[in-house]
Amino acid sequence: MNVRYARSGLVAFAVASVALLAVGCGAEDKPLANKPAATTRPSQSNQAGQEQPSAEAPAEVLTTLRGQKGLELAINLVERDAGGFLTVKGQLKNTSDTGTIVPSRLSGDETEVVKHGNSLGGATLVDGVGKKRYYVLRDTDGRPLTTSGLSTIGAGQGIPVFLQFPAPPASTAEVSFQLPTFEPATLKLS
């Protein structure tokens, strides 16, 4: 099989995966400034008036990375996909008392990634045992397969983020997650 066509197929699959992910992330997933962290609503079938947890309850935080100017990245999900990808999801939060500009350094320094605007494209996973570094995947136009268009985050607010990497081998149990201007964190892989 021609290597060029194999790469094109892999890139097309990655782009399709991101498109499906983007379609699944509707406007109702975006946090509102005054929205409570966990909401409950009465069950229609519950006559006693007891409340049941809503599907909007916050996800478990696996680890939190601290960055500059009050920025924190809380990672909620690290998941291997069937297609050979590793998806990381979380919340980028501003814990300071004032709004902050998301640093452009988070995009990294690769020209192809930087030209597509502020993103988390500078993130990497480091497999210390396998001595390998994994970069955020990119589509055929060089756009990183991660949250992009980041500009400012208001005081006390957060935005949902995702990053997609090539998956390390199944034998790799943990990796170091690194993002420019943030302290590194160890992620356990299932």
Side-chain angles (χ1 to χ4, degrees):
M1 175 181 233
N2 189 331
V3 173
R4 180 178 174 186
Y5 292 113
R7 285 186 193 156
S8 297
L10 179 60
V11 170
F13 180 78
V15 170
S17 297
V18 169
L20 287 174
L21 182 62
V23 170
C25 296
E28 65 274 5
D29 292 342
K30 294 180 183 172
L32 301 175
N34 296 327
K35 184 176 176 182
T39 59
T40 58
R41 69 179 79 135
S43 170
Q44 293 178 353
S45 63
N46 189 342
Q47 300 300 326
Q50 295 177 350
E51 296 182 345
Q52 293 180 336
S54 157
E56 299 173 13
E60 174 187 0
V61 175
L62 303 174
T63 189
T64 301
L65 292 76
R66 297 191 194 332
Q68 299 173 348
K69 299 181 183 178
L71 288 178
E72 288 185 354
L73 176 61
I75 296 178
N76 305 103
L77 176 75
V78 179
E79 180 177 59
R80 291 179 190 266
D81 300 336
F85 305 109
L86 182 80
T87 301
V88 176
K89 291 183 180 181
Q91 268 287 343
L92 184 61
K93 300 179 205 173
N94 175 6
T95 62
S96 72
D97 295 335
T98 60
T100 189
I101 297 172
V102 176
S104 61
R105 289 190 53 210
L106 298 183
S107 299
D109 56 8
E110 292 183 37
T111 306
E112 279 299 309
V113 174
V114 172
K115 78 179 185 180
H116 294 289
N118 272 3
S119 70
L120 302 178
T124 59
L125 299 177
V126 177
D127 175 1
V129 175
K131 298 184 184 333
K132 196 163 188 178
R133 180 179 301 266
Y134 298 90
Y135 293 88
V136 171
L137 291 169
R138 287 131 178 97
D139 69 11
T140 55
D141 293 326
R143 286 185 206 92
L145 300 184
T146 180
T147 304
S148 59
L150 302 171
S151 58
T152 60
I153 302 176
Q157 294 186 340
I159 55 172
V161 296
F162 82 96
L163 305 98
Q164 200 165 40
F165 299 91
S171 60
T172 302
E174 64 182 34
V175 291
S176 174
F177 178 86
Q178 299 178 357
L179 182 64
T181 76
F182 282 75
E183 61 190 19
T186 300
L187 301 180
K188 303 282 185 196
L189 307 179
S190 57

